Amino acid sequence: DVKLGGLGPDYEAIKEKVKKMKLQKEYSRQIKEYNMKNLTVVQRLPEKPQVSSLSRQKALEYAKKIPRPKTFLRAQSEQEVKVLPQAASGTSLPQLPSLQSLWNRHQKEKEVVAAFKSLHIL
């Protein structure tokens, strides 16, 4: 009884692999069930003690008495209110550049950019 090699499938090896995989799946199913039973017992959190309405009322009253911090937006709006009456009362505002001076500056900057482009720097 000599078994020679061949090109066909090896049914004996396949049966062994299938049997091994079934055993692995069964084992993993049993472990999963065991873990689910144990984890559900452990994961239950202790109940929080009920807070009486009296202590809540005390906390709310205390919160009402605490002075509120000043916010940045409130400070900014106060500064704007201070600036507007001064400008309306006749004090001089900072000088705005005229349209002609801005146009001249724009032309000079365009020339500088054109020079950079001709030198292939940009």
Side-chain angles (χ1 to χ4, degrees):
D1 293 332
V2 177
K3 184 176 180 182
L4 300 174
L7 296 177
D10 186 9
Y11 292 112
E12 295 299 320
I14 292 173
K15 287 180 184 177
E16 290 175 13
K17 287 182 183 179
V18 168
K19 185 178 177 183
K20 186 177 179 181
M21 287 178 62
K22 285 182 181 179
L23 288 173
Q24 286 176 346
K25 286 184 180 181
E26 179 64 24
Y27 178 73
S28 67
R29 186 187 60 77
Q30 290 174 356
I31 295 295
K32 184 177 178 182
E33 287 177 5
Y34 176 78
N35 287 338
M36 291 299 287
K37 289 178 185 176
N38 288 343
L39 289 178
T40 55
V41 173
V42 173
Q43 286 181 350
R44 291 183 188 154
L45 298 175
E47 293 184 20
K48 294 181 180 178
Q50 292 285 337
V51 178
S52 67
S53 61
L54 180 64
S55 61
R56 177 168 170 75
Q57 292 297 327
K58 287 181 181 179
L60 289 174
E61 288 176 19
Y62 177 76
K64 288 178 185 177
K65 294 178 184 177
I66 295 176
R68 304 280 185 239
K70 294 182 180 179
T71 61
F72 178 71
L73 296 175
R74 190 178 294 169
Q76 187 179 18
S77 63
E78 290 174 1
Q79 290 175 355
E80 291 174 358
V81 171
K82 291 178 183 177
V83 170
L84 291 176
Q86 291 175 355
S89 64
T91 59
S92 63
L93 294 173
Q95 292 287 333
L96 295 177
S98 67
L99 183 60
Q100 186 63 33
S101 64
L102 290 174
W103 180 255
N104 291 338
R105 179 177 164 196
H106 175 67
Q107 292 299 328
K108 289 178 185 176
E109 289 176 354
K110 278 175 57 176
E111 291 172 4
V112 170
V113 170
F116 282 134
K117 284 185 179 181
S118 65
L119 295 173
H120 302 290
I121 293 176
L122 289 179

